Amino acid sequence: MKMTEEAHKKLLSELKKGIDESIQEILTDKETYPSFSSITYNSDVTEFTICVDPGTYDTLQSLVTMVFYLNGNIYQIFNAVPEDKIKTIVNFVDKDTGEIIESMDSSQSGNATMTEQETNDTEAADQGTDFTEETGLSESSIDMTGDYIGNIPCPQPPENSSYTIYNNDNPYECIAVYIENIDNANFQFHLTKATQDSVTGVKSEELIFNKHIAHYTDSGYYEYIGKNYHLYFRYNITAQAEYSPAGKIIEIYGLENLYSPTQYGEKTEYQNMTGTIFRMNVPFAG
């Protein structure tokens, strides 16, 4: 498919909005990042600067680089930067002197954006999106694979949030899907696996499915068609939502290659498909 210049600019703007929201969440999490005072990035999202207090900065806090590697590299992908030129730099700077304490870049992480099982899927997404003028073709004749931008508005888009399922055999392990609406017809999503040490309470989270775009269809669900995955998303607000955000759910179908639906969360079925119910804001991921 081909994306209009206006739609491309809107997509990049929404990506930056998501980055800003991530930064705000990090800066307010003083328990995990006590040394951080400010975080900025340049216009093409290739370099982040984190101002820290050297007295409280430590190696564990530097793990936040993975968040910015992901944000920066994904932005560059959608900004049509050649694959061999994609690199995100993260500098940790003394907030008082401006001296660089530590500098890292995504090339040192073994390709920060390719950590899910379907590492070739981003390439498929690139082939499916051409940032040029509209084709003028009808929707039925457009290749809707990859990060297809749809134009059918959803009557009830999901709320921007994380939605979680737990490992039924290990309550200290969960999988979270992060949803961020681009507009009322499309949202971005990615998945992580999170664990919490049962003794110390220390949390860790790793990316297991790269950020992509799902579009709403006139069949009542959102859809993403990748090289190795064909995913369906259904959002629903149950009666439980009156007293708990866990009553707001995302049903996801098509992730059997990533995890077993019988091992995580609650199984659900829709049109002969078996999926899993992810619940909003269930601790401890997201």
Side-chain angles (χ1 to χ4, degrees):
M1 65 152 293
K2 292 182 181 294
M3 181 183 291
T4 64
E5 182 179 355
E6 181 181 356
H8 181 215
K9 288 181 178 179
K10 182 176 182 180
L11 173 60
L12 294 181
S13 176
E14 290 295 335
L15 287 172
K16 284 188 174 180
K17 180 180 177 182
I19 294 171
D20 293 339
E21 291 173 353
S22 294
I23 288 174
Q24 188 58 39
E25 289 178 6
I26 290 169
L27 290 175
T28 56
D29 185 1
K30 293 303 182 183
E31 180 179 352
T32 307
Y33 308 106
S35 71
F36 292 8
S37 62
S38 67
I39 303 173
T40 57
Y41 57 90
N42 60 357
S43 60
D44 53 4
V45 197
T46 58
E47 187 168 0
F48 290 82
T49 299
I50 304 176
C51 292
V52 303
D53 177 358
T56 54
Y57 175 70
D58 56 37
T59 304
L60 284 177
Q61 294 175 65
S62 70
L63 295 177
V64 77
T65 53
M66 295 304 297
V67 174
F68 297 120
Y69 290 165
L70 172 64
N71 286 331
N73 287 11
I74 289 293
Y75 184 92
Q76 292 168 58
I77 288 172
F78 286 108
N79 201 23
V81 175
E83 183 178 352
D84 61 346
K85 301 294 184 182
I86 293 173
K87 183 170 73 171
T88 301
I89 299 169
V90 180
N91 298 316
F92 293 88
V93 175
D94 186 316
K95 67 181 183 67
D96 296 320
T97 67
E99 178 185 358
I100 295 179
I101 299 171
E102 192 170 14
S103 182
M104 292 173 272
D105 68 69
S106 56
S107 66
Q108 300 168 344
S109 68
N111 193 344
T113 64
M114 298 295 180
T115 55
E116 70 195 46
Q117 292 187 6
E118 58 161 348
T119 53
N120 292 325
D121 205 28
T122 298
E123 295 178 10
D126 290 342
Q127 295 168 4
T129 305
D130 180 12
F131 302 126
T132 56
E133 293 301 314
E134 280 185 305
T135 62
L137 299 175
S138 66
E139 184 174 275
S140 61
S141 62
I142 293 176
D143 178 9
M144 296 171 65
T145 60
D147 295 299
Y148 170 78
I149 299 293
N151 57 12
I152 301 174
C154 176
Q156 183 177 267
E159 290 190 31
N160 294 340
S161 184
S162 60
Y163 299 77
T164 308
I165 55 174
Y166 275 88
N167 186 329
N168 294 326
D169 298 323
N170 179 6
Y172 295 99
E173 179 182 293
C174 65
I175 293 176
V177 59
Y178 292 80
I179 302 291
E180 182 181 343
N181 287 288
I182 297 174
D183 51 31
N184 62 359
N186 306 272
F187 64 68
Q188 298 176 78
F189 70 94
H190 68 277
L191 285 91
T192 66
K193 178 182 286 187
T195 57
Q196 183 177 34
D197 190 289
S198 60
V199 177
T200 65
V202 174
K203 306 170 188 177
S204 62
E205 199 165 2
E206 63 173 326
L207 179 71
I208 60 173
F209 197 102
N210 287 332
K211 184 178 288 187
H212 286 295
I213 296 172
H215 62 275
Y216 187 70
T217 73
D218 55 7
S219 299
Y221 52 77
Y222 286 81
E223 186 174 27
Y224 166 75
I225 307 174
K227 184 176 181 180
N228 298 318
Y229 290 87
H230 189 167
L231 307 183
Y232 301 89
F233 303 79
R234 296 182 72 219
Y235 177 65
N236 192 21
I237 300 177
T238 69
Q240 184 185 358
E242 293 184 11
Y243 55 88
S244 170
K248 298 175 182 180
I249 64 174
I250 292 279
E251 301 171 15
I252 305 182
Y253 304 85
L255 284 172
E256 294 86 354
N257 293 334
L258 197 62
Y259 65 86
S260 170
T262 60
Q263 184 181 357
Y264 285 88
E266 309 160 72
K267 285 177 57 179
T268 185
E269 294 188 356
Y270 176 70
Q271 295 186 354
N272 298 319
M273 296 183 293
T274 300
T276 313
I277 295 176
F278 288 69
R279 295 188 175 275
M280 178 187 282
N281 290 339
V282 178
F284 47 91

